[in-house]
C-alpha cells in the first residue's frame, strides 16, 4: 500500500519529493508508481550483465534523474554510485550495487502494489 | 513572443516544450508548469525538432541532455546554428556540473539541475528567461531599421555615445551618406528598386565600417550615418561604394558623402552628424563631386542659408523684400531717353541687414522658393507702374524676371493677365525677362508659353543672351521682343577689338531677328560710345544709375518730363 508513511519507512525523503510535486500527494504517488515501473531498471540489469557499459551508463543516469527527483533515497544512492562508476566506462564490479538496487526496486514495487 | 519578434499580450499563456526521454521527469515538469504555461512534450531530439518547427509561438525549450536518437547537445547545436530557431531560449535539464558550462557556451540560456529545485525556483527561472528573451527581442526590433537591419537613428546615436566612452583617446570621424535624388529613383524605378538599392548601400557601408572599426546606422530614408576611427580621406570608400552601386544598378545613381573629421567631442553627437550632413547636402546638385569634407566657413554658409530659407515667409509677409528699379535708356537718338526699367530685388533683413540677391536668389532657385519671390515682385512692380502712371500720367514699362521654374506653373499666363486687370495696366507695359538657358532646356514647353504671353501683348526679353547655348537656327524661331546681352560682353569691352567684333555679329543677329538689343552693366562713357557705334539700342547700368528706390526713380521720370 503506497502511503506517505510506507514511503518514509522505505527511506524516501517524502517531504522533498512531495515539494517537487507542489505537495500534491496523488500526483507524487502516481510518479512513484511510474518510476517503479520504469523500463530503466530492466535495461540497467541487462546492460550490466551483457557488459554493455555505455548502455548501462545511460540507463543508470536516467534512473538517477527520476529517482532523485522523487527523493527515493534508498535507490538514489546505489544508482548514483553505479552511474559514477560507469561514467569512466572501465571494467567494473557491479554485483553488490546491482543487488542493492534490485532489492530496493523490489521493495518499491511491493509498496506500489 | 512569436519567433518573428512580435510581442504576445501578457495574458496569453506562453508555450513551453519539455524534452526528456524519462516520462516521470516530463510529467513532473509539466505538472509544475501547467498553471502558468501551455506545455508540449517530446521524448527525444528528433521529436523535439519536429515540434519546434511546427510551433511558431514557442517561448521556451526545457531540454534534457542524455536522450536516445538525438541527444540534447545535438539538438542545441541545430537550434543555435539556425537563425530562426536560435531566437527561442533553451534551458538545459542536467545533473552534470560539467555539462552546465558546456551547454551555456553552446547557447543555452540557463540550466535546471536534477534533482529539480523547488517548483517556485523553477518557475522563477523560467519566467525570468522568457522575459529576458522577449525584452531582448523588443530591443533588437526597436534598435534596428527593418529594411536594412542597420541601427536606427536613436540607437545609432546611443552606440556612438558608448564608443566614445570606451575609446575616449581615439580620434573619430562622422560621415553622412545620401543617394542623389533618391525620391526620383523611387519615382522612376519604383519603390521596390529603391528599397533594394537602400539594402545594397547598407551592406556596402556595413562591410566597409566593419573593416574600419566603425558603426553604421540608417537615420532616415536615404540618409546613412557612419562613425569610425579617423581616416585621412574617404575617397576609397566613395569609390568602393559608387563602383559597386554602378555595377549592380544604373550608373547614373550617385551616392554622396559628407565627412566631419576628428569630431569635437564636446559637442552633441547629433550636431556632429549635422555638420557632416551639411556637407553632404551642399553636394546635392553637384554632378562631378561626390565627397566633401566639413570646414567651418562652409558650415557657416550653410547655416546662413538655412536661416534665410526659414525666414522667407515672414519676410514676404512683412515686405522685407524691396523692389529697386534700374532705368534703361534708349540711346538711338541724340539724347539718351528713359524708356523702361528693370525691377531688382533687395532683402532688408531686420537682423542681418541688407542682403544681396546674389546670396539668396541662387538659393531660392535651388529649392523652388524663387516662385514665391517672383510672384511677390510681379505684384509689387505692377502696383508701382500704376502708381507712377497715376502720379505722372505716363507709363514706365518695367521688366521682371521669370524664373525657369515659373515656366512650369500652369497658372502662369492667367497670373499675369489678372495682375494687369487688377492694376488696370496693358500687357504692353510689362516686360518679361526669360533667361536664354531656359529656352534651351525645354524649348518646346517654354516657346509655347512665351508665344501665348506675346499674343496677349506682353513683351519678352531674352536675358543673359550669349551665355547659353542657343543655336542660331533656334534663334530664328524664338518668340522674343528684345535681346539682352550677357554682362560678360560689356565687361572689358574697351580696347578689345575681338570683343567689339563679336558684339557687331550679335547686332547683326538682332537686326536679322528685327529685335532691339539691350546692354546691361554699362558703367563708362567709353562703353556707351562703343555700344552706340555698333548699333545697340538700349543701355542699363551704373553709367546712368544704380538700382534705386521707387521714390528716387521718380526723379528720373520728372527730369524726362522736363
Amino acid at each position: 500500500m503506497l502511503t506517505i508513511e510506507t514511503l518514509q519507512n522505505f527511506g524516501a525523503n517524502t517531504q522533498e519529493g512531495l515539494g517537487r510535486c507542489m505537495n500534491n500527494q496523488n500526483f507524487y504517488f502516481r510518479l512513484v508508481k511510474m518510476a517503479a515501473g520504469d523500463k530503466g531498471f530492466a535495461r540497467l540489469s541487462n546492460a550490466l550483465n551483457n557488459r554493455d557499459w555505455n548502455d548501462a551508463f545511460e540507463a543508470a543516469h536516467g534512473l538517477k534523474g527520476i529517482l532523485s527527483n522523487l527523493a527515493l533515497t534508498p535507490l538514489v544512492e546505489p544508482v548514483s554510485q553505479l552511474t559514477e562508476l560507469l561514467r569512466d566506462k572501465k571494467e567494473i564490479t557491479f554485483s553488490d550495487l546491482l543487488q542493492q538496487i534490485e532489492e530496493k526496486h523490489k521493495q518499491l514495487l511491493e509498496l506500489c502494489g | 513572443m512569436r519567433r518573428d519578434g512580435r510581442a504576445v499580450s501578457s495574458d496569453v499563456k506562453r508555450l513551453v516544450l519539455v524534452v526528456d526521454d524519462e516520462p516521470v521527469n516530463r510529467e513532473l515538469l509539466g505538472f509544475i508548469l501547467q498553471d502558468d504555461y501551455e506545455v508540449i512534450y517530446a521524448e527525444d531530439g528528433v521529436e523535439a525538432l519536429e515540434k519546434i518547427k511546427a510551433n511558431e509561438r514557442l517561448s521556451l525549450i526545457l531540454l534534457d541532455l542524455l536522450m536516445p536518437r538525438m541527444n540534447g547537445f545535438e539538438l542545441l547545436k541545430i537550434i543555435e546554428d539556425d537563425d530562426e530557431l536560435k531566437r527561442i531560449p533553451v534551458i538545459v535539464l542536467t545533473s552534470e556540473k560539467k555539462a552546465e558550462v558546456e551547454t551555456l557556451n553552446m547557447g543555452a540560456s540557463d540550466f535546471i539541475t536534477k534533482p529539480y529545485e523547488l517548483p517556485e525556483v523553477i518557475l522563477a527561472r523560467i519566467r525570468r528567461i522568457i522575459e529576458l528573451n522577449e525584452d531582448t527581442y523588443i530591443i533588437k526590433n526597436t534598435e534596428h531599421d527593418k529594411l536594412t537591419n542597420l541601427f536606427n537613428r536613436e540607437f545609432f546615436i546611443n552606440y556612438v555615445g558608448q564608443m566614445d566612452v570606451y575609446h575616449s583617446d581615439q580620434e573619430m570621424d562622422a560621415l553622412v551618406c545620401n543617394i542623389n535624388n533618391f525620391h526620383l529613383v523611387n519615382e522612376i524605378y519604383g519603390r521596390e528598386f529603391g528599397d533594394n538599392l537602400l539594402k545594397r548601400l547598407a551592406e556596402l557601408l556595413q562591410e566597409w565600417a566593419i573593416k574600419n572599426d566603425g558603426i553604421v546606422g540608417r537615420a532616415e530614408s536615404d540618409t546613412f550615418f557612419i562613425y569610425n576611427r579617423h581616416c585621412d580621406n574617404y575617397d576609397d570608400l566613395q569609390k568602393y561604394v559608387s563602383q559597386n552601386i554602378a555595377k549592380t544598378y544604373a550608373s547614373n545613381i550617385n551616392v554622396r558623402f559628407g565627412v566631419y573629421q576628428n569630431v569635437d567631442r564636446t559637442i552633441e553627437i547629433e550636431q556632429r552628424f549635422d555638420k557632416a550632413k551639411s556637407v553632404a547636402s551642399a553636394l546635392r546638385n553637384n554632378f562631378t563631386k561626390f565627397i566633401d569634407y566639413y570646414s567651418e566657413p562652409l558650415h557657416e554658409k550653410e547655416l546662413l542659408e538655412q536661416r534665410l530659407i526659414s525666414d522667407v515667409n515672414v519676410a514676404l509677409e512683412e515686405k522685407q523684400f524691396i523692389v529697386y528699379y534700374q532705368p534703361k535708356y534708349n540711346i538711338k537718338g541724340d539724347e539718351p531717353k528713359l524708356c523702361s526699367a528693370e525691377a531688382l530685388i533687395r532683402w532688408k533683413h531686420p537682423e542681418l541687414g541688407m542682403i544681396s540677391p546674389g546670396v539668396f536668389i541662387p538659393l531660392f532657385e535651388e529649392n523652388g522658393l524663387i516662385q514665391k519671390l517672383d510672384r511677390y515682385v510681379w505684384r509689387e512692380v505692377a502696383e508701382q507702374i500704376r502708381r507712377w502712371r497715376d502720379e505722372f500720367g505716363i507709363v514706365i514699362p518695367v521688366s521682371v524676371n521669370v524664373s525657369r521654374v515659373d515656366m512650369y506653373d500652369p497658372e502662369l499666363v492667367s497670373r499675369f493677365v489678372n495682375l494687369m486687370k487688377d492694376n488696370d495696366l496693358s500687357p504692353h507695359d510689362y516686360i518679361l525677362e526669360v533667361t536664354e538657358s531656359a529656352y534651351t532646356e525645354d524649348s518646346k514647353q517654354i516657346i509655347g508659353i512665351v508665344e501665348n504671353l506675346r499674343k496677349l501683348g506682353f513683351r519678352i526679353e531674352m536675358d543673359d543672351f550669349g551665355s547659353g547655348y542657343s543655336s542660331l537656327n533656334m534663334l530664328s524661331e524664338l518668340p522674343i521682343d528684345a535681346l539682352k546681352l550677357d554682362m560678360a560682353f560689356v565687361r572689358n569691352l574697351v580696347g578689345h577689338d575681338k570683343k567689339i567684333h563679336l558684339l557687331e555679329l550679335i547686332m547683326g543677329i538682332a537686326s536679322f531677328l528685327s529685335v532691339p538689343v539691350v546692354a546691361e552693366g554699362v558703367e563708362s562713357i567709353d562703353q556707351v560710345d562703343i555700344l552706340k557705334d555698333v548699333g545697340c539700342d538700349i543701355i542699363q547700368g551704373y553709367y546712368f544709375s544704380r538700382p534705386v528706390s521707387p521714390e528716387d526713380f521718380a526723379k528720373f521720370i520728372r527730369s524726362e518730363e522736363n
Side-chain angles (χ1 to χ4, degrees):
Chain A
M1 173 72 177
L2 195 59
T3 64
I4 292 300
E5 206 184 347
T6 55
L7 274 171
Q8 277 172 352
N9 291 338
F10 170 69
N13 184 344
T14 51
Q15 200 188 345
E16 191 188 312
L18 264 175
R20 286 200 188 93
C21 297
M22 326 267 289
N23 293 313
N24 184 322
Q25 266 190 30
N26 289 337
F27 183 67
Y28 180 48
F29 293 160
R30 192 160 79 80
L31 291 190
V32 170
K33 283 179 187 166
M34 276 175 72
D38 196 280
K39 288 179 282 186
F41 288 106
R43 182 182 167 198
L44 178 63
S45 300
N46 287 337
L48 285 171
N49 290 326
N50 296 331
R51 311 188 90 75
D52 182 347
W53 311 127
N54 269 337
D55 196 35
F57 172 75
E58 282 176 18
H61 190 273
L63 282 173
K64 184 183 130 187
I66 302 169
L67 300 165
S68 61
N69 270 339
L70 300 174
L72 300 169
T73 322
L75 274 163
V76 173
E77 282 166 8
V79 170
S80 298
Q81 281 180 44
L82 194 57
T83 309
E84 291 319 303
L85 284 175
L86 287 163
R87 190 185 292 281
D88 297 332
K89 296 177 175 96
K90 274 182 269 170
E91 191 75 19
I92 59 157
T93 323
F94 55 84
S95 48
D96 281 1
L97 282 172
L98 182 61
Q99 196 188 340
Q100 216 179 318
I101 292 165
E102 282 174 343
E103 240 169 61
K104 291 293 172 189
H105 182 215
K106 199 175 150 203
Q107 276 182 30
L108 184 65
L109 282 169
E110 280 165 8
L111 282 182
C112 294
Chain B
M1 172 74 51
R2 288 167 57 101
R3 205 175 297 165
D4 61 9
R6 267 173 282 161
V8 174
S9 71
S10 56
D11 55 0
V12 171
K13 273 190 177 181
R14 305 311 199 250
L15 181 66
V16 176
L17 171 66
V18 175
V19 190
D20 198 315
D21 57 332
E22 300 294 349
V24 172
N25 294 342
R26 288 202 300 270
E27 290 227 8
L28 185 52
L29 275 178
F31 190 71
I32 294 170
L33 298 176
Q34 66 186 4
D35 285 347
D36 299 307
Y37 299 94
E38 188 183 334
V39 188
I40 53 175
Y41 303 92
E43 284 185 25
D44 55 44
V46 174
E47 189 187 355
L49 192 57
E50 282 167 15
K51 295 210 166 159
I52 292 166
K53 287 183 174 167
N55 288 279
E56 216 190 39
R57 51 175 281 262
L58 200 56
S59 286
L60 178 71
I61 301 165
L62 294 172
L63 181 64
D64 183 32
L65 291 175
L66 282 185
M67 292 182 295
R69 295 215 287 173
M70 182 194 286
N71 69 34
F73 291 104
E74 291 168 301
L75 180 64
L76 193 56
K77 180 145 194 338
I78 291 171
I79 292 171
E80 289 312 308
D81 288 346
D82 186 313
D83 281 345
E84 271 294 302
L85 302 184
K86 77 172 171 199
R87 299 178 183 183
I88 312 165
V90 177
I91 296 181
V92 164
L93 311 167
T94 178
S95 54
E96 311 286 329
K97 278 275 163 214
K98 229 177 91 189
E100 289 171 6
V101 181
E102 195 182 343
T103 50
L104 287 179
N105 284 335
M106 284 178 73
S109 301
D110 201 356
F111 50 85
I112 290 175
T113 52
K114 287 181 190 170
Y116 297 154
E117 296 151 298
L118 287 176
E120 295 80 13
V121 178
I122 291 178
L123 286 170
R125 275 178 181 253
I126 288 173
R127 191 170 58 240
R128 190 183 66 89
I129 291 297
I130 291 177
E131 278 175 6
L132 200 66
N133 188 60
E134 292 184 358
D135 287 350
T136 308
Y137 270 107
I138 291 167
I139 292 169
K140 275 201 175 156
N141 273 316
T142 45
E143 78 180 9
H144 283 93
D145 165 53
K146 277 205 171 64
L147 180 70
T148 62
N149 212 29
L150 296 176
F151 290 128
N152 62 30
R153 183 190 198 106
E154 194 188 341
F155 278 85
F156 176 85
I157 298 294
N158 280 340
Y159 280 100
V160 168
Q162 281 184 19
M163 280 176 92
D164 278 355
V165 171
Y166 294 120
H167 307 281
S168 54
D169 297 333
Q170 174 73 53
E171 286 182 332
M172 301 297 285
D173 298 341
L175 284 79
V176 168
C177 171
N178 288 107
I179 298 168
N180 279 357
N181 291 313
F182 182 64
H183 62 288
L184 286 181
V185 172
N186 264 339
E187 230 167 75
I188 296 167
Y189 299 105
R191 184 66 182 268
E192 201 184 330
F193 179 95
D195 282 354
N196 276 327
L197 176 63
L198 289 171
K199 277 198 251 181
R200 180 69 186 130
L201 179 57
E203 279 169 14
L204 291 167
L205 295 175
Q206 182 80 299
E207 277 170 25
W208 188 89
I210 287 168
K211 285 185 218 149
N212 289 276
D213 301 330
I215 56 169
V216 188
R218 182 178 175 213
E220 64 201 340
S221 178
D222 64 317
T223 302
F224 294 88
F225 285 177
I226 307 170
Y227 195 63
N228 61 275
R229 64 178 156 75
H230 171 65
C231 297
D232 284 340
N233 82 67
Y234 287 89
D235 296 357
D236 288 349
L237 167 65
Q238 190 268 321
K239 271 188 205 135
Y240 173 69
V241 170
S242 304
Q243 283 168 1
N244 275 288
I245 292 288
K247 217 186 289 171
T248 322
Y249 303 95
S251 55
N252 60 352
I253 292 172
N254 292 310
V255 176
R256 62 180 191 272
F257 289 88
V259 185
Y260 170 38
Q261 290 171 303
N262 292 330
V263 298
D264 175 358
R265 296 202 195 204
T266 61
I267 62 170
E268 297 278 332
I269 293 164
E270 288 271 8
Q271 283 178 353
R272 299 178 208 166
F273 285 92
D274 285 347
K275 285 175 190 275
K277 174 90 184 152
S278 69
V279 178
S281 301
L283 291 173
R284 194 184 299 121
N285 295 315
N286 197 319
F287 297 100
T288 52
K289 196 174 178 188
F290 303 106
I291 186 162
D292 209 352
Y293 299 84
Y294 173 81
S295 68
E296 284 299 332
L298 178 76
H299 186 56
E300 270 163 26
K301 178 174 176 261
E302 190 79 12
L303 281 181
L304 173 67
E305 290 183 350
Q306 295 281 339
R307 169 90 191 265
L308 297 183
I309 289 168
S310 63
D311 287 352
V312 72
N313 283 329
V314 174
L316 287 167
E317 271 168 36
E318 294 180 354
K319 297 208 168 191
Q320 293 171 13
F321 290 103
I322 301 164
V323 182
Y324 274 38
Y325 297 84
Q326 190 169 35
K328 295 183 196 176
Y329 281 88
N330 190 319
I331 53 165
K332 279 286 164 195
D334 294 338
E335 288 293 316
K337 197 171 159 34
L338 178 67
C339 62
S340 60
E342 180 180 3
L344 294 158
I345 195 164
R346 299 284 180 272
W347 187 350
K348 203 172 177 183
H349 195 285
E351 284 158 35
L352 302 172
M354 208 56 128
I355 305 171
S356 152
V359 172
F360 61 84
I361 298 275
L363 175 67
F364 294 165
E365 275 175 344
E366 203 174 278
N367 59 25
L369 281 173
I370 194 72
Q371 270 195 295
K372 278 190 177 180
L373 201 60
D374 282 346
R375 288 174 202 166
Y376 172 91
V377 173
W378 298 341
R379 182 155 296 280
E380 289 286 308
V381 166
E383 286 168 2
Q384 188 58 53
I385 297 173
R386 189 187 58 186
R387 274 196 292 271
W388 281 329
R389 189 191 60 192
D390 293 349
E391 193 177 337
F392 300 106
I394 56 163
V395 170
I396 305 292
V398 178
S399 60
V400 294
N401 274 299
V402 182
S403 299
R404 204 162 311 188
V405 63
D406 295 321
M407 288 295 181
Y408 298 95
D409 172 13
E411 306 291 320
L412 184 73
V413 174
S414 62
R415 268 181 220 285
F416 282 125
V417 170
N418 289 336
L419 210 50
M420 296 303 104
K421 215 181 281 169
D422 292 349
N423 291 284
D424 189 24
L425 297 176
S426 146
H428 193 72
D429 307 335
Y430 213 74
I431 307 167
L432 308 176
E433 292 193 13
V434 181
T435 183
E436 181 193 6
S437 56
Y439 283 96
T440 49
E441 223 168 62
D442 189 354
S443 48
K444 266 195 185 159
Q445 157 92 4
I446 289 177
I447 290 171
I449 290 167
V450 168
E451 265 171 354
N452 275 344
L453 287 164
R454 276 186 91 218
K455 271 182 208 152
L456 292 165
F458 291 98
R459 283 191 280 165
I460 312 293
E461 239 168 51
M462 185 193 259
D463 202 5
D464 306 320
F465 180 73
S467 67
Y469 307 92
S470 312
S471 70
L472 292 176
N473 184 39
M474 191 183 107
L475 271 179
S476 63
E477 294 167 16
L478 290 183
I480 49 172
D481 300 285
L483 285 181
K484 195 166 187 183
L485 284 182
D486 188 55
M487 278 205 217
F489 287 102
V490 178
R491 214 178 292 138
N492 305 322
L493 199 56
V494 182
H496 291 84
D497 288 349
K498 272 190 180 169
K499 284 210 166 192
I500 296 171
H501 215 75
L502 196 59
L503 209 53
E504 283 169 345
L505 287 172
I506 293 172
M507 292 304 151
I509 293 170
S511 117
F512 168 73
L513 297 173
S514 314
V515 294
V517 173
V518 185
E520 62 180 330
V522 180
E523 292 174 354
S524 68
I525 181 71
D526 294 339
Q527 286 171 323
V528 176
D529 287 343
I530 293 169
L531 288 162
K532 203 170 176 177
D533 278 352
V534 298
C536 180
D537 306 275
I538 296 163
I539 280 180
Q540 173 189 343
Y542 275 40
Y543 173 73
F544 288 111
S545 170
R546 60 188 172 80
V548 294
S549 67
E551 296 73 34
D552 288 341
F553 194 88
K555 290 174 198 161
F556 295 114
I557 305 175
R558 276 192 208 102
S559 65
E560 279 298 307
E561 280 182 322
N562 298 333

